[in-house]
Amino acid sequence: MSSVSCTNWLCFRDAHWEKKMQRISDEEYYHHLLKHLTGETHENEHCTADDRGLANTDPFGYEVQRVSREIDHSQDLATFERVFEAYRTGSLEDVIAEHDSFDEKYTKHIRRLLAMRSLRDRRADILRFCLKLAGFEYDFAFKWEANLVTKDDHPKTFEALEESPFRKVHPRSLPPWEMFDNGGPFAVDW
């Protein structure tokens, strides 16, 4: 692995912050995060460690961080960027075409990243595609985000989750505020 200065490209937390502050575009945000998939790292503790704090602030960035430690590194950053460009600006068919252009050793990792991104953005069509093919790990960040999706607020995403093999293995659990609220399974008389 090589290390580069953060002045050339941003690490996970910095990319999230710059995007949040609207100082970089979505395209730049993806560039900074996906560059980690090529095996390049920064000289900071948040780059290569399991930064669970990142899961709270930027679950997608956290997934990229985890995948960057698991994937066989490729020097072809453009391939990773194309699938997320299709995600941002194209249709489901465009995303599938980019997904299918990957070497098989990368597809489960790309689906994992697309699943988290589409879950965060409530893009039911892409989420359904990823969950149907599956083959990737559902970590705590994904499960937590999936449990935040409600039928009333995002019916298509809720349906995609409920009909998926993921939900058969990981039944919906209520967040603590619903578990203990009036009508929840452990209602507390406040």
Side-chain angles (χ1 to χ4, degrees):
M1 285 190 186
S2 60
S3 294
V4 297
S5 167
C6 285
T7 59
N8 294 332
W9 58 287
L10 302 172
C11 201
F12 301 103
R13 288 176 175 253
D14 295 329
H16 168 72
W17 179 253
E18 292 300 310
K19 181 177 177 270
K20 183 176 180 174
M21 299 308 294
Q22 299 179 344
R23 291 191 282 243
I24 62 173
S25 67
D26 285 345
E27 183 178 2
E28 292 168 312
Y29 166 77
Y30 286 118
H31 172 78
H32 291 294
L33 293 185
L34 298 174
K35 188 158 177 73
H36 293 86
L37 299 178
T38 66
E40 295 195 45
T41 61
H42 295 91
E43 294 179 11
N44 68 56
E45 71 277 7
H46 300 296
C47 190
T48 56
D50 186 7
D51 187 1
R52 287 192 172 232
L54 183 62
N56 295 329
T57 57
D58 186 7
F60 177 72
Y62 179 72
E63 289 300 323
V64 175
Q65 181 192 54
R66 298 220 33 230
V67 167
S68 72
R69 292 193 326 260
E70 299 169 6
I71 198 169
D72 288 334
H73 295 120
S74 166
Q75 297 304 310
D76 190 8
L77 175 61
T79 307
F80 296 114
E81 289 180 322
R82 278 195 305 271
V83 75
F84 283 95
E85 179 65 21
Y87 173 83
R88 285 185 330 96
T89 63
S91 66
L92 171 63
E93 290 75 24
D94 296 330
V95 171
I96 292 171
E98 289 299 330
H99 168 274
D100 291 350
S101 73
F102 276 88
D103 184 303
E104 193 173 312
K105 68 182 178 181
Y106 295 109
T107 56
K108 72 176 183 177
H109 299 294
I110 294 306
R111 281 194 304 276
R112 178 177 174 177
L113 297 178
L114 284 169
M116 177 56 92
R117 184 75 264 162
S118 60
L119 178 58
R120 297 276 301 158
D121 295 340
R122 307 306 194 243
R123 297 250 335 246
D125 58 342
I126 295 173
L127 179 61
R128 184 174 276 114
F129 164 74
C130 294
L131 294 178
K132 180 180 176 186
L133 294 178
F136 56 91
E137 176 189 359
Y138 304 111
D139 64 13
F140 77 95
F142 187 88
K143 293 176 209 172
W144 177 265
E145 188 69 30
N147 285 330
L148 295 177
V149 176
T150 64
K151 187 175 186 175
D152 292 338
D153 292 335
H154 302 284
K156 290 180 182 179
T157 304
F158 184 85
E159 182 180 301
L161 286 165
E162 294 305 306
E163 293 174 352
S164 72
F166 160 76
R167 196 48 93 198
K168 290 175 180 60
V169 176
H170 303 284
R172 180 171 162 68
S173 62
L174 296 173
W177 55 88
E178 290 183 30
M179 294 277 291
F180 298 103
D181 204 359
N182 188 15
F186 304 107
V188 174
D189 184 10
W190 302 99

